[in-house]
Amino acid sequence: MTSIAERGHAARSEQAGIAAFLKKPVRQAQLYDCLRTVLAPRASAGGGTSPAPRIVTVHSLREANDLRRPRVLLAEDNQTNQMAGARMLEKLGYRVDIAVNGLQAVEACRALDYGVILMDNQMPEMDGLTAARAIRAFEVSHGKRPVPIIALTANAMQGDREACLAAGMNDYLAKPFKLLQLRRMLERWDVRSDSESAGPDIDAVPSSTAKAIDSTVLQEFRSQGLSSGPGDFVPQLIDEYLLDASAHMATIHDAIARRDAPSLARATHSLKGSSSAVGAIGMAAMCDRLEQLARAATLDTTPALVSSLESEFARVREDLHLEQTS
């Protein structure tokens, strides 16, 4: 580390065998990225590992961070909406590609892997629903993992959500949307920007401490007078959910072992609905991802997701037991 960086300092440091060169003051995230890069083993020609051959600098860290940022495809034909959407995504730390119609969106997905697709429903040449079906068909034919597709529409009419899901989309966001709504949607589908995951923050609460249950869902039942007197409704609801969820988890494991995609889709769909009813939003989102994989008959990545689902169910169970005693 140096307080004054002069031309040639980095090159001379590299020649002296120094692994990284940073100018003070060094920000916490920058130091974390530097240590992560320096300590990460690199594959060598002989099959072993060796440290990174080039010196790490502020510039190389910035370039690496740009490459690590999740890539988002925004399919939108309206230029104003393109600008607004791209600006929001960039502010949240994502790389953004823009497609002006469904045909471009399909071609982009054939060429690149995206973390998520934001798809306007009404576009020229090919609409969003047709494009989503074409993307799903391409994924199945090439054995690719389904990318989350979020429908964007200005017409929040009854039946729109069902039409989007039927076309293979995962979720629905009505326009115009705000930055916080977009961020929550991307977090729901676990598409994290590098700015949100680039190392620990000493003032931040670890995500593992976040509650697995949205207590406001159960509180609404209580506020409606459904949870008072003998035969308390909320504890009964929790007991019923835990029994139901345990049975569905067993079915899910059995379906994975037999590679039975239809059974997996049915079980995850049922568990998704009941999890939402008790406020287990994270678990419901995991079930939704599993359901989409099952319906696309893409089961190679499901064991890891089921393992995560088991861990989430343990957290849900613990939080629900606390809700019963509160």
Side-chain angles (χ1 to χ4, degrees):
M1 297 184 189
T2 179
S3 298
I4 302 175
E6 297 179 356
R7 184 181 297 274
H9 267 189
R12 290 195 296 272
S13 297
E14 185 174 10
Q15 291 171 0
I18 290 174
F21 179 88
L22 299 178
K23 185 177 182 297
K24 295 185 287 187
V26 179
R27 293 181 294 109
Q28 178 183 320
Q30 186 182 77
L31 180 59
Y32 175 83
D33 286 341
C34 179
L35 292 173
R36 181 174 60 177
T37 304
V38 168
L39 296 176
R42 299 288 184 90
S44 65
T49 58
S50 61
R54 294 187 59 82
I55 192 168
V56 176
T57 65
V58 173
H59 300 296
S60 67
L61 289 174
R62 186 179 299 117
E63 291 174 356
N65 280 334
D66 285 342
L67 292 175
R68 276 197 299 267
R69 287 191 300 155
R71 185 184 292 271
V72 176
L73 177 63
L74 174 61
E76 170 67 66
D77 64 305
N78 183 285
Q79 283 192 327
T80 302
N81 290 341
Q82 287 174 12
M83 292 175 62
R87 177 60 182 149
M88 288 184 189
L89 289 164
E90 289 166 354
K91 186 175 180 63
L92 291 173
Y94 298 92
R95 289 182 292 167
V96 186
D97 290 343
I98 293 177
V100 299
N101 56 53
L103 285 174
Q104 285 191 10
V106 173
E107 290 302 317
C109 290
R110 289 174 176 170
L112 294 171
D113 292 327
Y114 289 96
V116 68
I117 300 170
L118 301 176
M119 183 82 75
D120 183 31
N121 274 6
Q122 298 184 21
M123 292 184 292
E125 297 190 56
M126 180 184 285
D127 61 62
L129 298 178
T130 304
R133 286 190 285 266
I135 290 168
R136 292 298 184 231
F138 173 76
E139 290 169 341
V140 171
S141 65
H142 288 73
K144 296 173 68 69
R145 181 178 178 179
V147 59
I149 302 178
I150 312 301
L152 304 177
T153 178
N155 300 318
M157 298 176 62
Q158 187 174 4
D160 278 359
R161 180 179 176 84
E162 289 72 17
C164 293
L165 296 178
M169 295 183 176
N170 300 89
D171 220 323
Y172 178 102
L173 190 59
K175 297 187 291 186
F177 49 84
K178 297 180 180 179
L179 183 67
L180 182 58
Q181 292 173 308
L182 178 60
R183 179 174 182 172
R184 285 175 175 170
M185 177 63 72
L186 295 173
E187 288 176 347
R188 177 178 178 178
W189 290 100
D190 201 27
V191 187
R192 307 276 177 169
S193 69
D194 193 65
S195 63
E196 295 173 305
S197 58
D201 188 335
I202 55 177
D203 297 321
V205 178
S207 59
S208 60
T209 64
K211 292 191 65 176
I213 295 295
D214 181 356
S215 299
T216 60
V217 175
L218 297 176
Q219 184 57 39
E220 186 173 355
F221 287 121
R222 295 188 179 103
S223 66
Q224 292 172 350
L226 296 176
S227 185
S228 59
D232 213 351
F233 175 77
V234 168
Q236 288 180 354
L237 178 67
I238 291 173
D239 285 339
E240 183 64 27
Y241 168 75
L242 291 175
L243 286 172
D244 180 71
S246 296
H248 283 310
M249 288 300 300
T251 302
I252 288 170
H253 281 291
D254 181 65
I256 292 292
R258 293 185 292 108
R259 296 188 68 81
D260 185 347
S263 294
L264 179 62
R266 288 192 296 269
T268 50
H269 181 80
S270 297
L271 185 54
K272 176 178 66 175
S274 58
S275 296
S276 297
V278 297
I281 306 303
M283 188 162 177
M286 290 182 179
C287 288
D288 191 87
R289 289 199 290 276
L290 276 167
E291 181 186 356
Q292 296 300 325
L293 288 173
R295 296 196 185 283
T298 307
L299 302 183
D300 291 339
T301 60
T302 52
L305 287 174
V306 171
S307 178
S308 298
L309 185 64
E310 280 282 11
S311 300
E312 183 67 8
F313 184 40
R315 296 178 63 236
V316 166
R317 196 162 41 221
E318 182 178 349
D319 279 5
L320 287 177
H321 284 318
L322 292 175
E323 287 287 343
Q324 283 183 311
T325 59
S326 63

